[in-house]
Amino acid sequence: MVVCPYHAWCYDTRGRLKSLRNAKHILEIQLNEHGLRRVSLEVFQGLVFVNLDTDAAPLAAGLGATADEIRDYLPNLPSCHFAHRTEALLKANWKIVIENFSECYHCHIVHKTFTEGVIKPEAYKIIARGDSRLHCALPQSGDTNDTAADQAAKTDIFTAWYLWPLTAVQVYPGGVGTTFRWIPLDPELTKFEVDWWLAAPKPTSSEQAMNNQHEATTFA
């Protein structure tokens, strides 16, 4: 939502003019004391990335080959439908949470359904490069048709990309995509959000089962 600083009105993301509630004093604000700060903003595959540093390097400089891989595995992400959000509060510093995501030694203990029913843990690889980390693994079964959410995508393996510092994009065998966000709330508390993106407005039974399984195990 974009707010006009001169009037008690705002424009939503569809360009529609809306009135701001409880804004009777907005015209009394001294703009030179409360001006909005500029930020760097880029859109990639329908995802909006905001950086508070206006001198930050372009997103493409940090993504490198990762950008092409995300396009290959989730080519229709910009037109996908938001299906569900799972969230949790983690009692840990965000750097500890990211470190946990950046290894899979714990997966066979904590994420048993993932390692026993989705991927082959012995084939799990993590490749560091620039500002991203590539996670990939072969599926437990070669048949991914039951979750083929995007027929144009590469759907043969599990793939995830961690994007420094607080974002990840993940695609399950079959093309079901998710995005991760870690939001630092204080030095010892991090909010974790996982959004599910599907090609059709309504999830298939397999897609819904995958979401339910993820919520029941990863967020247990």
Side-chain angles (χ1 to χ4, degrees):
M1 180 178 289
V2 180
V3 179
C4 172
Y6 297 100
H7 302 283
W9 300 87
C10 68
Y11 293 92
D12 64 15
T13 54
R14 296 184 179 180
R16 297 174 298 190
L17 191 64
K18 290 183 175 292
S19 174
L20 292 175
R21 294 181 180 179
N22 301 317
K24 60 182 179 180
H25 300 299
I26 195 169
L27 297 181
E28 302 173 9
I29 294 177
Q30 300 299 314
L31 297 182
N32 60 338
E33 297 179 4
H34 303 282
L36 299 178
R37 294 180 179 273
R38 291 183 177 273
V39 298
S40 298
L41 184 148
E42 293 187 58
V43 179
F44 170 71
Q45 284 296 90
L47 305 177
V48 179
F49 291 83
V50 176
N51 194 321
L52 300 182
D53 183 1
T54 55
D55 295 324
L59 183 63
L63 291 181
T66 295
D68 290 333
E69 290 172 350
I70 294 175
R71 293 189 187 99
D72 286 343
Y73 281 85
L74 288 168
N76 293 331
L77 182 58
S79 61
C80 281
H81 298 267
F82 170 74
H84 182 74
R85 171 174 293 176
T86 310
E87 58 185 41
L89 290 177
L90 308 178
K91 296 180 180 180
N93 183 274
W94 71 271
K95 296 178 183 179
I96 300 297
V97 176
I98 295 300
E99 183 177 1
N100 176 77
F101 180 80
S102 298
E103 51 85 5
C104 204
Y105 301 115
H106 69 282
C107 291
H108 72 285
I109 299 173
V110 180
H111 309 303
K112 289 184 179 295
T113 54
F114 177 65
T115 54
E116 295 175 2
V118 180
I119 59 118
K120 294 180 179 179
E122 67 273 13
Y124 199 99
K125 296 181 180 179
I126 301 177
I127 302 172
R129 56 192 185 194
D131 292 336
S132 65
R133 300 288 186 274
L134 169 64
H135 297 235
C136 57
L138 296 173
Q140 281 283 357
S141 171
D143 181 10
T144 58
N145 292 330
D146 60 337
T147 56
D150 190 345
Q151 297 294 339
K154 293 181 178 179
T155 59
D156 53 335
I157 63 175
F158 165 83
T159 315
W161 301 268
Y162 163 66
L163 313 176
W164 170 264
L166 297 167
T167 308
V169 179
Q170 181 172 282
V171 57
Y172 283 84
V176 175
T178 61
T179 51
F180 290 20
R181 274 188 308 278
W182 295 275
I183 305 171
L185 299 180
D186 67 35
E188 300 300 330
L189 188 64
T190 303
K191 186 179 181 182
F192 182 32
E193 298 179 344
V194 178
D195 290 342
W196 291 73
W197 305 94
L198 303 176
K202 185 177 180 180
T204 65
S205 58
S206 296
E207 291 166 348
Q208 187 62 55
M210 184 181 298
N211 172 243
N212 294 343
Q213 183 187 73
H214 180 268
E215 185 167 1
T217 56
T218 302
F219 286 83

